[in-house]
Amino acid sequence: MVDVAHTSSMPQVKKIAMTEPWQWLAAGWQDLRANPGISLGYGFVVLMLSYALSAGLIFFDTLFLVIPFAAGFMQLAPILAIGLYEASRRREAGLDVGSITTYVVRPRSPLQLAYFGFALTFFLMAWIYLAFFLFAVFYGLEAPPLEEFIPSLLLTVRGIAFLAIGTAVGAVLAFTVFAISAIAVPYLLDRDADAVSAMLLSIKAVRTNFAPMMLWAWLIVVLTVSGMVVFYVGLVFVFPLIGHATWHAYRSLVAD
């Protein structure tokens, strides 16, 4: 059962400058350079998961779903990066950053973190179901061959309408997930709090610093897409960079 008593004692959200997201990336890069083995290890795991997912889509002849699944991966990324937050936290505190302490993380609020993970999974499933539904509305239940689907997607009214509606629905869902998860997982890692408080604090951080946080969301999307287009290899570096930077975003936004 989620304890909402903590919501009345949430820490204050600080107002930040527009340039802060660039500083988070710089700090994240320093963390990655300081612990390349651990950081790139997380990136390699993400790379293997991406290849496994793509292989599954190819096997079931549903490669056209790679974009929805890539967007779904970004929704779960805040949970997957918890070890990177821990590495940055320990480095900031002057503690030992070892593989055991970062691969076997002990958050301050483990049960609440699990609740939050269920919430993100719910959004992921909702997005996948919506993607299937929209595809069925525009293309029916039978997936066309990939060599026919791509020209249809880009050069026909039906394909452009499918892209426009899918992008709009995905953008709304992505913004919702970003708002509730921007700093929620680092907060639950660092403090004894509940999942509801973490989501409310994250929403408050986005609302209070809307322009800088939209820049941060844009940077995440651009970096992630850049890592994916080179056959996912770029994710080995991009994923840990964003993960470390997210810890610094949390420390910048939330008062001690």
Side-chain angles (χ1 to χ4, degrees):
M1 185 175 181
V2 177
D3 177 14
V4 297
H6 292 293
T7 56
S8 60
S9 58
M10 285 193 298
Q12 293 296 311
V13 170
K14 294 184 285 187
K15 190 75 173 176
I16 63 171
M18 193 69 187
T19 56
E20 286 281 334
W22 298 104
Q23 296 176 26
W24 303 338
L25 284 176
W29 175 249
Q30 293 302 318
D31 288 346
L32 192 158
R33 289 185 60 192
N35 303 281
I38 293 170
S39 300
L40 297 180
Y42 272 91
F44 182 76
V45 169
V46 169
L47 176 65
M48 292 297 101
L49 289 174
S50 301
Y51 283 150
L53 176 59
S54 296
L57 293 177
I58 293 172
F59 179 80
F60 289 105
D61 198 24
T62 53
L63 191 59
F64 59 89
L65 289 173
V66 67
I67 294 178
F69 272 90
F73 159 76
M74 293 177 67
Q75 294 177 19
L76 289 180
I79 288 288
L80 299 177
I82 187 170
L84 298 167
Y85 309 150
E86 175 66 3
S88 292
R89 185 192 72 82
R90 295 184 70 86
R91 181 169 182 262
E92 182 183 88
L95 302 173
D96 174 60
V97 182
S99 58
I100 298 299
T101 58
T102 51
Y103 287 118
V104 184
V105 181
R106 296 181 178 180
R108 294 288 302 277
S109 307
L111 185 59
Q112 299 301 321
L113 191 62
Y115 288 143
F116 183 73
F118 289 140
L120 290 184
T121 303
F122 169 80
F123 279 104
L124 172 62
M125 297 307 298
W127 169 235
I128 296 301
Y129 277 117
L130 280 171
F132 272 107
F133 174 75
L134 288 174
F135 184 85
V137 167
F138 283 91
Y139 287 94
L141 298 179
E142 287 292 328
L146 193 61
E147 60 272 13
E148 297 178 12
F149 176 66
I150 293 178
S152 170
L153 194 64
L154 300 176
L155 302 175
T156 67
V157 173
R158 177 177 64 172
I160 293 172
F162 173 64
L163 276 178
I165 295 175
T167 301
V169 172
V172 171
L173 196 59
F175 176 78
T176 302
V177 173
F178 174 74
I180 67 171
S181 65
I183 57 171
V185 178
Y187 180 61
L188 292 172
L189 168 69
D190 189 43
R191 309 194 189 193
D192 182 12
D194 61 84
V196 173
S197 295
M199 288 187 280
L200 291 176
L201 184 68
S202 186
I203 292 171
K204 184 178 180 181
V206 173
R207 187 179 68 245
T208 303
N209 299 281
F210 188 76
M213 293 305 286
M214 288 304 95
L215 172 60
W216 178 229
W218 179 80
L219 288 171
I220 291 173
V221 171
V222 170
L223 288 170
T224 303
V225 171
S226 299
M228 289 179 171
V229 295
V230 288
F231 301 102
Y232 305 122
V233 174
L235 292 178
V236 175
F237 299 93
V238 168
F239 183 77
L241 174 63
I242 295 175
H244 288 307
T246 299
W247 169 261
H248 294 285
Y250 158 70
R251 294 290 291 137
S252 176
L253 288 162
V254 178
D256 291 332

